[in-house]
Structures are given as C-alpha cells and as structure tokens.
Amino acid sequence: MARRNWFAAVGFVLTAIAGLESLHCAPSRSTFEAPQDAGEPAMVIVEEAGVDAALPETDCAEENKLIYVLSSGDKALHRFDPMSLSFTRIGTIACPTTADTFSMAVDRKGIAWVEFTDGRIYNVDTKDAHCTETPFRGHQPGFSSFGMGFAKDDAGDAGASSETLFIEGEGLARIDTKTYELTLIGPAALGLAELTGTGNGLLYAFSVNSGRLVRLDKTTGAALQNYRTSAVDPNGAWAFAHWGGDFWLFTGHMTSAVTRYSPATDTSTVVVDDTGMLIVGAGSSTCAPVVPPR
C-alpha cells in the first residue's frame, strides 16, 4: 500500500472529513538481489477478470508471508524479506496501460491488487508478475487516487480466512473483491494516507506528510490509536506494510530508504539507506506474521 505524494482533486461530499506506521542490518544497495532472468520481461498475457475469474487456490503460501513492493518507472514487482533486508525482483508488470504504478495491496492467495495512476486496478500474480485486468471503475467520486490494504475480518464474519480490501481516498471505503463495487464507510482519519492490515484483524493508515500512523476503526474510519514515526517527507514517494509486529516504511525521491517503526518501543530506525529504486507501493498479506519471528 503506497503511492506517490499527490492526489487528484475530486469533489466529494461527506458529513465531516477529519484532518487527520525499526531491525538492524547493513543498509546498502547491495541488499537488492535480482535473479538471473530478472531482465526478462514478465509474460504479457493479459486477461480480463470477470467476477467469477479463477485465482490461485493456495492460501498463505510461504512466499506470501513476506512484503511485496512496486518500483516506479520500470513498473517492477519485488519481494522484500524483512529478516535479511533483501529485495528480489520478480518481474515487470506488463499490464495494458501506459500509466505508472501507484498503490498496492496483497491478498492471502498471493494476488497483488495494483492501482495505476489512471485509477484502474489490475490483479498481479506475485509469483511471476502475470497481469489480469479487472472491471473496477476508476476515478469514482472521492477516490480518483487512493491507498489500499487488506485486513482480516473479525471473528464471526464470513470465515476463518476471510478478509476485506479497504481503500482510503477522501474517505475510507471497501471494495468487494467479487463484484468490484466500492462502498463508502466514513471520513478519512488522516486525509492523504496509505493503508495496511494484519492477520489479527487490525487496519492502519500512514501519512508521510506528518509521519503519523493510526489504527482505524474498520466500521467508521475513525482513529483508535495514534503513533508518530520519523518518516516525514511531504514531497516524496511512500509506501508501507505491516510485518512481524512492526511497520516497514518506504520513503524517498529518486530512490527509497526503508524505516522500521516499532510500536512496542515507539522507535523509528532506518534499516536500508538506499534501496536503489523508487518504491511507490507496498503490501503484506494477512498471512504475514503479527509478532516478531523467533
């Protein structure tokens, strides 16, 4: 979940819009690892996903317990391992659009929901960057651009592995992953913000303008808890994701740095100074660990 630091202005009526996410390691560009075939473009087979489109059946494969990021310009998908602080390039996202990548969320089956700057959403397989078009209607009022993230549903909801895709534009909303319909929930707690969710049902928003990170009420959009990180860069690109009880913030201009924020100790630590790419989207699925691995 992440994006460049700009929003298209769109008229949007809400009753009220309130003005309102670190592990040690050697930070260097050498942490970027590309497989031998990384220069090869990803398969360019593009299909249109109807509401009954078949997606992978595997729930919470090991690779889907890590963080995935999007780089700007080359539109590439990468996997980030928070334990080794290493990036692995998966491939170029060859979706049928000239627009750049903007934000991303990853579901439990390893499908990245990638938003582009033209407002469209495409499904991208995190195994090979294969792209599938969706019928989502872009540029809906108040949601010309938005942050996005999956959060596990609360106990008693649709099922043990059920989850919801939330987005935040000029308000908090959810997208039905079968019908692709958008439903408004309430005002945005942070305004311009990105989202990330967890496997224990929590939803968070982060704004690089202020460095604020808040836990959101999934039913109203209201802020329930507030945190303050050192990742403040009003003019930069940003993304963030939850993993292992901490928040991993990707911020920068030409290239991104990685900051680890620990809510348990209220500390921010820059763990990678230069990733060698500009990261504009990040996502961890609800399969990712919610406590630090031992």
Side-chain angles (χ1 to χ4, degrees):
M1 323 123 281
R3 87 285 298 289
R4 292 177 183 275
N5 195 359
W6 52 271
F7 250 67
V10 179
F12 183 63
V13 179
L14 285 172
T15 302
I17 293 188
L20 229 126
E21 232 233 333
S22 175
L23 245 168
H24 273 245
C25 151
S28 74
R29 296 177 72 156
S30 64
T31 57
F32 176 86
E33 301 173 358
Q36 292 183 349
D37 63 350
E40 306 270 339
M43 65 174 76
V44 191
I45 302 173
V46 177
E47 303 168 351
E48 183 167 356
V51 295
D52 294 320
L55 293 178
E57 294 300 324
T58 304
D59 186 80
C60 288
E62 283 304 311
E63 296 81 3
N64 201 29
K65 297 177 182 178
L66 299 175
I67 295 173
Y68 289 86
V69 302
L70 294 170
S71 55
S72 179
D74 61 353
K75 302 180 187 178
L77 179 68
H78 308 257
R79 183 169 55 245
F80 174 63
D81 185 341
M83 293 295 288
S84 62
L85 299 184
S86 61
F87 291 86
T88 300
R89 189 180 191 276
I90 296 170
T92 299
I93 300 175
C95 297
T97 176
T98 58
D100 203 354
T101 51
F102 189 77
S103 185
M104 176 175 68
V106 180
D107 68 25
R108 295 173 65 82
K109 291 180 172 25
I111 297 299
W113 295 63
V114 179
E115 178 199 0
F116 283 73
T117 53
D118 60 4
R120 298 293 304 276
I121 292 179
Y122 294 85
N123 287 154
V124 176
D125 196 321
T126 57
K127 295 190 300 295
D128 55 15
H130 173 83
C131 179
T132 303
E133 193 169 1
T134 78
F136 177 78
R137 295 182 297 107
H139 297 294
Q140 297 185 44
F143 295 90
S144 180
S145 300
F146 47 84
M148 56 201 307
F150 280 93
K152 189 85 170 291
D153 292 334
D154 296 330
D157 286 346
S161 62
S162 66
E163 59 185 359
T164 297
L165 176 58
F166 293 91
I167 66 172
E168 182 149 299
E170 293 183 32
L172 181 68
R174 61 180 178 269
I175 294 176
D176 187 309
T177 57
K178 295 188 182 299
T179 66
Y180 296 90
E181 291 299 316
L182 182 155
T183 301
L184 178 66
I185 294 174
L190 284 181
L192 184 63
E194 267 298 345
L195 300 178
T196 191
T198 70
N200 56 355
L202 304 182
L203 180 66
Y204 294 88
F206 168 67
S207 171
V208 76
N209 290 338
S210 61
R212 289 186 64 191
L213 189 156
V214 302
R215 181 165 71 89
L216 299 177
D217 185 320
K218 296 184 295 184
T219 64
T220 67
L224 300 176
Q225 285 180 288
N226 286 273
Y227 305 92
R228 181 78 65 174
T229 78
S230 66
V232 180
D233 191 348
N235 299 312
W238 87 97
F240 88 130
H242 176 275
W243 190 91
D246 294 332
F247 297 94
W248 302 78
L249 316 173
F250 307 87
T251 59
H253 293 263
M254 299 302 292
T255 60
S256 298
V258 183
T259 300
R260 179 185 185 184
Y261 174 72
S262 170
T265 59
D266 190 29
T267 56
S268 299
T269 304
V270 176
V271 293
V272 180
D273 287 324
D274 185 353
T275 62
M277 57 185 161
L278 184 63
I279 296 172
V280 296
S284 57
S285 77
T286 57
C287 304
V290 297
V291 295
R294 295 180 180 273

